[in-house]
Amino acid sequence: TNEYIYFSYPASNGFLSSIIDGNGFDVTSSFTLYTVNVTSSGQDTEWTESYNIYRTTAVTTVSGQTFKFNF
């Protein structure tokens, strides 16, 4: 309870078209999109990968909910 829900994936997959909750409601507007870059350091091959992170805009008390993330 009183936590954020996060969903993250490589940004190369594009943006989500919708987020549907377990009751079938479109709750996309309840999430905020952040894009972050992860960069290796001190490796034989350096790399950077961008990730899209969707986080609930507000903390939630939802537990045991299933979400469907659509591209």
Side-chain angles (χ1 to χ4, degrees):
T1 61
N2 296 323
E3 302 289 338
Y4 291 103
I5 297 171
Y6 289 86
F7 180 68
S8 178
Y9 60 90
S12 59
N13 290 323
F15 297 109
L16 295 179
S17 60
S18 64
I19 302 171
I20 308 298
D21 72 7
N23 297 312
F25 293 105
D26 186 334
V27 294
T28 309
S29 64
S30 298
F31 286 77
T32 301
L33 170 64
Y34 301 90
T35 302
V36 298
N37 294 319
V38 177
T39 303
S40 68
S41 177
Q43 305 296 311
D44 290 338
T45 303
E46 301 295 333
W47 55 267
T48 298
E49 180 77 38
S50 294
Y51 287 87
N52 286 338
I53 301 171
Y54 286 83
R55 187 194 84 177
T56 49
T57 303
V59 294
T60 182
T61 58
V62 172
S63 65
Q65 181 69 264
T66 300
F67 291 90
K68 182 177 179 182
F69 298 90
N70 300 303
F71 287 94

